[in-house]
Amino acid sequence: MAKSKNWTKEQTIVAFNVYCKIPFKNSSKTHPTIIKFANIIGRSPSALNMKVGNFGRLDPELQKRGITGLANGSKLDEVIWNEFHGNWDDLAYESEKLISQFQNKTIIETNEIDLTDFPEGKDVERLVKTRVNQNFFRSSVLSSYYQKCCITEINISDFLVASHIIPWSINKDERINPRNGLCLNSIHDRAFDEGFLTITADYEVKISDAIYEHKENESIADFFLKYNNQKISLPDKFLPSQEFLKYHTDNIFRG
């Protein structure tokens, strides 16, 4: 695709998708993800990297930590930022469809979805959207935590889960919001889901009394007890919502 001076809305939506999927501090014109998506949308790597920086200036959590991104940006950047934050479910999927369209492929092809996995008689489009958005959520959450568990800093990707703070089944509006996610290893993800541990609104690990009943077990001490009251490692962006964390502590944590 020929490069043009002005960014289109479609290109800007894809740029925000890239912003979500790459650690902010790692973004550069030589980053493989920047190069890949710049080629897809017909922009230079420098231009896409600058656009990612422009989105950084709109992130209030980055601003609080002194990470302000680039000083200049367009009104369109703000429009896309607000659209995503008002409707993660639809906009995440739209951004993935646009990536496919720029490549003249289907979203099934670009996301490597095997339709034979889907039950017969089900709404394929709805199931595809769910699968695509789950992949988007995982990529956004894990990249924000630099592919490390926020409790243990385990960094083997096959062991990591993008864990929902408010469960998927409870609040559909926040299912794809990266601020409703934590990067956890699979053991602590299961414990978090079942309420055996929580993360407080102060970003501290709290271990349930139900775990302490097994405190004589050496593995329990190593996997759980030593992390009680420890601060989690905070993400590069998409700081977990204190409101969502409070919900988990009040409604799911076993205390």
Side-chain angles (χ1 to χ4, degrees):
M1 178 180 291
K3 295 179 175 63
S4 60
K5 181 178 179 181
N6 296 323
W7 281 76
T8 67
K9 182 175 183 179
E10 291 76 16
Q11 289 173 329
T12 307
I13 289 173
V14 174
F16 186 79
N17 180 292
V18 176
Y19 170 82
C20 293
K21 292 179 177 178
I22 186 171
F24 187 73
K25 292 181 182 178
N26 286 358
S27 183
S28 74
K29 65 182 181 180
T30 60
H31 193 287
T33 300
I34 292 289
I35 294 172
K36 172 185 174 181
F37 283 94
N39 288 331
I40 287 173
I41 64 175
R43 307 298 307 199
S44 71
S46 294
L48 178 55
N49 184 57
M50 184 174 293
K51 184 65 69 173
V52 168
N54 289 341
F55 281 121
R57 76 184 172 87
L58 301 174
D59 191 326
E61 297 302 333
L62 290 180
Q63 293 170 7
K64 289 177 185 176
R65 294 157 62 191
I67 306 171
T68 56
L70 300 180
N72 300 314
S74 70
K75 182 64 177 178
L76 182 58
D77 298 342
E78 297 182 32
V79 170
I80 299 305
W81 175 276
N82 291 329
E83 286 184 358
F84 264 87
H85 283 76
N87 187 1
W88 281 99
D89 191 65
D90 287 339
L91 266 295
Y93 187 58
E94 180 181 344
S95 70
E96 294 292 336
K97 286 200 298 183
L98 286 171
I99 291 168
S100 302
Q101 291 168 10
F102 273 111
Q103 300 176 84
N104 295 313
K105 295 181 179 180
T106 69
I107 196 167
I108 293 171
E109 290 174 318
T110 55
N111 283 265
E112 299 180 348
I113 296 173
D114 185 357
L115 295 180
T116 61
D117 291 342
F118 291 180
E120 290 186 14
K122 295 293 184 180
D123 183 341
V124 172
E125 184 176 359
R126 179 176 60 81
L127 293 174
V128 167
K129 180 179 180 180
T130 297
R131 182 74 58 83
V132 168
N133 280 355
Q134 286 173 337
N135 290 341
F136 174 90
F137 180 77
R138 175 179 169 82
S139 295
S140 299
V141 172
L142 266 59
S143 71
S144 296
Y145 287 86
Y146 290 92
Q147 307 285 330
K148 293 181 181 179
C149 169
C150 68
I151 295 177
T152 65
E153 297 199 346
I154 286 174
N155 62 353
I156 301 173
S157 60
D158 287 344
F159 296 168
L160 299 178
V161 178
S163 185
H164 285 84
I165 301 170
I166 299 179
W168 174 277
S169 60
I170 291 177
N171 189 338
K172 67 178 183 179
D173 293 335
E174 305 296 349
R175 285 176 174 175
I176 313 303
N177 183 351
R179 296 196 67 200
N180 189 34
L182 296 164
C183 181
L184 296 172
N185 69 80
S186 55
I187 292 177
H188 286 131
D189 166 68
R190 180 63 182 272
F192 185 79
D193 282 350
E194 298 295 329
F196 287 104
L197 69 84
T198 193
I199 309 296
T200 70
D202 294 324
Y203 309 115
E204 289 186 354
V205 179
K206 290 294 181 185
I207 302 299
S208 168
D209 290 342
I211 293 288
Y212 272 91
E213 293 175 5
H214 305 277
K215 64 182 179 181
E216 302 304 324
N217 185 306
E218 185 175 339
S219 295
I220 292 294
D222 285 341
F223 277 100
F224 293 100
L225 304 188
K226 73 177 183 180
Y227 297 110
N228 195 38
N229 298 321
Q230 171 184 292
K231 291 278 189 180
I232 65 168
S233 298
L234 295 177
D236 173 86
K237 58 184 180 295
F238 299 132
L239 196 69
S241 164
Q242 291 177 310
E243 177 187 348
F244 299 162
L245 292 171
K246 188 175 186 303
Y247 176 91
H248 185 277
T249 300
D250 291 345
N251 296 279
I252 298 173
F253 183 51
R254 300 186 183 213

